Amino acid sequence: MDLPPGWHPSIEDRPSPVARNRLGREFGKHNQPYLRNARWQWLGVFVREPDGDIAAGLAGSTYGDWLFIHDLWVRADLRRRGIGQELLRLAEARARERGCHSAWLDTFSFQARNFIRNSVIASSAVSIIRPTSSEFSSRSG
């Protein structure tokens, strides 16, 4: 790496919000001339209990006409009731309102494989990551 004198790389396990936001702003400026819709927005869809506690939810963002799903979770006692599918459907509907044409979701192979295959986003970009046998071995079962 050829850096000017005094400059150095730093690895940070907890980069500050200021640092992360700076990268996002600069990334956005660079991409803006190439994207029809370069506006980045958070998106959240939640199932809340009467006291406001979250029992299921989807957190994502929209950018460049894509819906990016960051986290999707349904509490164990509520699974297999169509809640996850409805969270995805509602997120996609809002994303379409924002001009999105596709969705992106990464998942590990042990996470709801059949759910993803049967989901409304199955025709979009879905990346299933298969951990090696040594990874997660203490949690399998």
Side-chain angles (χ1 to χ4, degrees), residues 80-99:
R80 301 193 188 283
R81 296 182 184 193
I83 294 169
Q85 294 290 337
E86 183 65 5
L87 294 171
L88 281 171
R89 189 191 70 72
L90 292 168
E92 282 196 323
R94 178 56 57 92
R96 276 191 296 278
E97 290 171 7
R98 294 180 182 181

Side-chain angles (χ1 to χ4, degrees), residues 34-53:
Y34 305 99
L35 299 174
R36 185 177 66 85
N37 181 2
R39 184 170 182 216
W40 184 91
Q41 287 182 273
W42 278 112
L43 176 61
V45 182
F46 303 99
V47 173
R48 294 183 182 270
E49 296 183 41
D51 66 0
D53 193 30

Side-chain angles (χ1 to χ4, degrees), residues 2-10:
D2 185 21
L3 296 173
W7 292 26
H8 64 281
S10 66

